[in-house]
Structures are given as C-alpha cells and as structure tokens.
Amino acid sequence: MPRKIVYGENAAKDFKYPENSLVITTTTPDIYNKWLDYMGVKNYEVYDKITPDPAIETVEAVKKSFEGKNVSTFIGLGGGSSMDVCKYLGKLTGIPKILIPTTFGTGAEMTTYAVISFEHKKKLLQDEAFLADAAIVDPYFLPGTPYNIMRNSACDAAAQASEGYDSKLGNPLTRLFCKEAFDILEDAIVNDKPNLLPYGAMLSGIGFGNSSTTLGHALSYVFSNEGVPHGYSLSSCTTVAHRFNKSIYYERFKRICQKLKFEPLKLKQPLDQAADVIMPDRGHLDNNPIPVTKEDIVKCLENIVNMNPLEQVIEEPR
Ligand SMILES: [Zn+2]
C-alpha cells in the first residue's frame, strides 16, 4: 500500500502539495482549474493530453514535455489513465508521485499495477516502483461525473473486488478487503448510494492490488483493444468469467450490471483470433482459480457476444 493514504471529505483540500509539480490529467481546463483551486496547488504545470488506455508513446510525450524543467512531483489527477501514466513516469524518472482518483473505479491509487498499451495492445504491468508516494481519496470529485463514466468505474471496482476475492494469489487479508469492498460497492450501486463509491473503490484497490484480477479482466482486453471502455467491457466479461469459475459473486455481480443497464458486447475480430490474444496474458490467467484452456476462452467469448449474459431470466413459477 502507499506509505501515505488520506481519505475523506476535504482530504485533497487539506493536503500540502510540493511546489513545481506536474499535474497529469485527462480532463479539460474548465474542470481541472476548478479542482486545482480547491486543492490549493501552487506553482504547477499541467499536462492534459492523456487519452484513455494510454500508450507508451504518451508516457514518452509527457516525459519530453518537462525535460529541462525542475519537476519535483507528479500529481496524477483523474481516472485510471492519468494515474497509470504517472506511475510509469515515476518508475522511469524516480520522481515522487501523488495519485488522486476523480472517477473512483480502478483503485489504481492503491496498487503496484499499471496498464499501458504497447503496439495497440493493453499490457498489465506490475512493479513496486509504481506505488504512489501518497494516495488521496476525496469524494469531492464525485458530483458532476457523467453517469456513463460513473457506472463504468463502479463496474470496474466491483469486478476487481470479486475477481480479487477469487484470485489464487489471495490470502485471508486480501479477501477481507475484497469482500468488504464488494459489499460496499453493491450497496452503493443497488441502493443508489453513490457517495459510498469512493471508499468501496479504494478498498477494492487494496484487496485486488495485493492479489490480482483474473479471467474477467483477461477476457475484457480484446474488447478494450477495439475501443470499448474498460468498465463496460467487464460487465459481460466478468459475469461470464464468474459463471465459468462458479464464483460466489456470480449472481450478485450480474445483478449489479443489470442495475447499471449495460448493453451486450460485440467483437469485430474472429473469436479464435481473440482467444490467441488472450491466452498469453498469464498475469491474469495463471491466477484464475481454475485452469483455463483456449477452448474455454472461445466458449466464454461465444457466451459474451452471442448470448446476452446479463439478460434477466424470469423464473417460471412452479
Ligand atoms: Zn479493472
């Protein structure tokens, strides 16, 4: 876990930020200027050209943008993409990083994971050097989040908590965090209590960040590679993976996705070819609770794209 974690109302406001920071964000000036005012950051520069699913070229472009300047700290302010770029830059340069999520889904502020694309393929990387020097979780950033971004983030957090619970790398302590995270996220989503999302996503990050995600995330990347948002692709992928794994979270995760009204997924590339892309993703597949063959992957993909796994089955009265 990050050495310093600050959570709660005004956490981002009360934090003392170092001067000469580089703020890395995906948002636009009308939004981040308001945020930076609230945070009281002084003498900073902003890099705001981060796009979702960042590529290694993006990381290099940011690095180039501040060459010769005396940057003291990176501040990753935004969704998972901003934080992942920060993490990779921190590893490359040794410059400290402060991570501040504004969408509450990936839990990236808590983990040693970063997802960066190489040659248009998303890669899950893990390194102790990716860990934040400080993580700040403040529900201030929640209001105003577009519904679509909020539901994708909530779905990601719930997928990570439940896949993390089932992960072969899990232990009683990580399962404690994953279970608590899922309970809170489920309550937040099913009972319309969005103010619980930041805490749920944070606990999910601690839980899965010290175990791993599994088959659901492995399946989802072929959809992301075709432009489907991460959380959206997990709605069907993690549901099908939970069914395959006979996860205790199968029904509850599906109910969350139904509540969030996710549409079925489509895939342009042939399923067999997609399975060939998924199979080398050992970081996810080796930690799946049961072994997965290429045939299993093709079957899961068939379930995802040809049958709607989120369809509500109305039980016939007996
Ligand atoms: Zn995820």
Side-chain angles (χ1 to χ4, degrees):
M1 276 188 246
R3 199 157 43 87
K4 189 165 187 135
I5 298 172
V6 214
Y7 172 81
E9 303 262 332
N10 294 325
K13 189 180 178 203
D14 296 340
F15 194 86
K16 297 278 168 280
Y17 299 90
E19 299 212 359
N20 304 318
S21 307
L22 180 71
V23 177
I24 296 172
T25 185
T26 34
T27 52
T28 46
D30 53 320
I31 297 172
Y32 66 69
N33 281 331
K34 204 180 78 188
W35 289 350
L36 292 167
D37 267 359
Y38 165 76
M39 291 157 61
V41 189
K42 300 255 167 8
N43 284 333
Y44 57 89
E45 297 215 28
V46 178
Y47 189 96
D48 61 2
K49 294 178 197 69
I50 306 292
T51 45
D53 302 326
I56 185 68
E57 288 80 12
T58 309
V59 176
E60 275 150 14
V62 188
K63 191 162 174 272
K64 230 184 158 130
S65 80
F66 65 80
E67 250 160 17
K69 293 176 189 163
N70 205 6
V71 170
S72 69
T73 314
F74 299 122
I75 301 179
L77 181 65
S81 307
S82 315
M83 291 189 276
D84 283 347
V85 169
C86 250
K87 288 167 137 182
Y88 205 93
L89 276 172
K91 186 195 161 179
L92 284 183
T93 61
I95 295 174
K97 49 207 172 304
I98 299 170
L99 302 183
I100 310 171
T102 60
T103 57
F104 310 112
T106 66
E109 72 280 6
M110 294 295 157
T111 73
T112 55
Y113 291 112
V115 181
I116 300 287
S117 292
F118 295 82
E119 289 163 1
H120 308 287
K121 287 196 179 71
K122 284 175 79 164
K123 273 221 149 61
L124 176 75
L125 310 166
Q126 185 177 30
D127 200 309
E128 294 290 325
F130 291 153
L131 208 57
D133 293 271
I136 304 173
V137 181
D138 185 341
Y140 163 83
F141 300 102
L142 191 67
T145 307
Y147 176 72
N148 220 15
I149 290 182
M150 199 188 72
R151 81 170 172 167
N152 290 346
S153 305
C155 184
D156 187 19
Q160 289 173 168
S162 49
E163 288 182 37
Y165 186 90
D166 293 335
S167 161
K168 266 164 63 179
L169 285 185
N171 60 48
L173 185 62
T174 60
R175 280 192 286 274
L176 186 83
F177 279 103
C178 287
K179 181 188 178 301
E180 182 70 6
F182 193 90
D183 288 348
I184 291 170
L185 292 163
E186 182 182 47
D187 186 26
I189 297 163
V190 174
N191 302 318
D192 297 310
K193 300 178 191 166
N195 57 328
L196 295 181
L197 290 173
Y199 188 54
M202 176 180 139
L203 295 185
S204 164
I206 298 172
F208 97 88
N210 288 288
S211 49
S212 74
T213 50
T214 53
L215 177 60
H217 270 65
L219 293 169
S220 78
Y221 286 0
V222 289
F223 296 92
S224 318
N225 291 340
E226 293 188 3
V228 181
H230 179 58
Y232 172 23
S233 60
L234 289 168
S235 57
S236 288
C237 290
T238 300
T239 299
V240 165
H242 279 346
R243 189 165 56 195
F244 175 84
N245 288 331
K246 300 189 172 59
S247 168
I248 57 162
Y249 287 109
Y250 166 60
E251 289 292 346
R252 290 169 70 190
F253 183 78
K254 187 166 105 173
R255 200 179 325 126
I256 283 177
C257 297
Q258 286 167 344
K259 169 81 186 185
L260 296 172
K261 294 193 167 50
F262 282 108
E263 298 287 318
L265 294 174
K266 290 186 179 57
L267 197 62
K268 292 189 197 101
Q269 62 189 305
L271 302 189
D272 191 76
Q273 193 185 314
D276 284 332
V277 175
I278 294 167
M279 277 309 279
D281 182 1
R282 304 321 305 176
H284 287 112
L285 296 178
D286 287 345
N287 298 326
N288 198 60
I290 51 178
V292 191
T293 64
K294 186 182 163 188
E295 288 66 41
D296 296 329
I297 301 266
V298 173
K299 265 194 208 126
C300 285
L301 290 172
E302 260 166 19
N303 268 319
I304 293 165
V305 297
N306 295 332
M307 295 157 231
N308 178 5
L310 301 181
E311 204 161 43
Q312 198 117 31
V313 180
I314 314 282
E315 294 281 338
E316 295 273 329
R318 292 176 195 223

